[in-house]
Amino acid sequence: MEESVRRIAFLGTPFQGTDIAKWTDFGRKITDLFGDTNKVLLDNLKQGSYQLKAISEKFPDWLRGREGAEATKVEIVCFTEEFATGHLGKTVTDESAHIKGYKVLTLHTNHQDMCKFSDKDDENYKAVMKVLL
């Protein structure tokens, strides 16, 4: 499958982590009263996490390794959210939502709705599909 990948669109991906993750500790403690939550996943989303650092270093290396020939090159576009989600601000900052050296575009929505499109005529849908097709 790896050899077949030619284009990737990242929608609000927190490559550098997110400040919102610190709020999840509070929410996790409450939801743990009713069932288990994935603490490891939430910890990995915090700014400065070891896992995010490793991914943010290795993934660009993988991309550069694919740039040698047109047949293996991968086009990357990172999408950021334009609007805040609720009163907490942007879930993922513009700085965290991009990979250095790759194109960044803004979707006119908040983080929760980045991958929710009303129909094929939705402007955000068109922007993402333009990257993928």
Side-chain angles (χ1 to χ4, degrees):
M1 186 168 115
E2 178 181 336
E3 291 84 25
S4 300
V5 175
R6 295 292 175 260
R7 295 181 183 94
I8 301 173
F10 288 106
L11 279 67
T13 305
F15 294 104
Q16 315 304 311
T18 175
D19 281 339
I20 299 297
K22 65 185 173 191
W23 290 97
T24 62
D25 282 337
F26 175 72
R28 184 183 54 77
K29 289 175 184 172
I30 292 173
T31 57
D32 277 349
L33 297 171
F34 305 102
D36 291 334
T37 56
N38 191 334
K39 182 182 183 326
V40 173
L41 177 62
L42 295 176
D43 286 345
N44 285 337
L45 290 174
K46 291 180 182 175
Q47 288 183 334
S49 79
Y50 170 79
Q51 194 67 25
L52 276 179
K53 184 172 172 40
I55 291 169
S56 67
E57 290 173 356
K58 292 178 183 177
F59 186 66
D61 289 342
W62 176 80
L63 288 172
R64 281 188 286 281
R66 302 268 314 246
E67 289 178 351
E70 198 60 36
T72 59
K73 186 176 180 179
V74 178
E75 293 178 47
I76 300 287
V77 176
C78 300
F79 288 93
T80 64
E81 62 218 54
E82 181 176 6
F83 305 117
T85 301
H87 298 292
L88 297 176
K90 285 188 173 184
T91 301
V92 179
T93 64
D94 294 348
E95 295 80 28
S96 183
H98 81 279
I99 300 171
K100 188 175 180 178
Y102 291 90
K103 189 174 186 174
V104 179
L105 298 174
T106 300
L107 293 180
H108 307 292
T109 189
N110 64 39
H111 189 77
Q112 286 181 310
D113 296 330
M114 288 188 84
C115 61
K116 297 175 186 172
F117 309 109
S118 56
D119 55 38
K120 65 180 181 171
D121 294 321
D122 184 305
E123 292 303 317
N124 289 332
Y125 176 81
K126 288 179 183 179
V128 174
M129 292 310 293
K130 185 176 180 180
V131 169
L132 295 176
L133 297 178

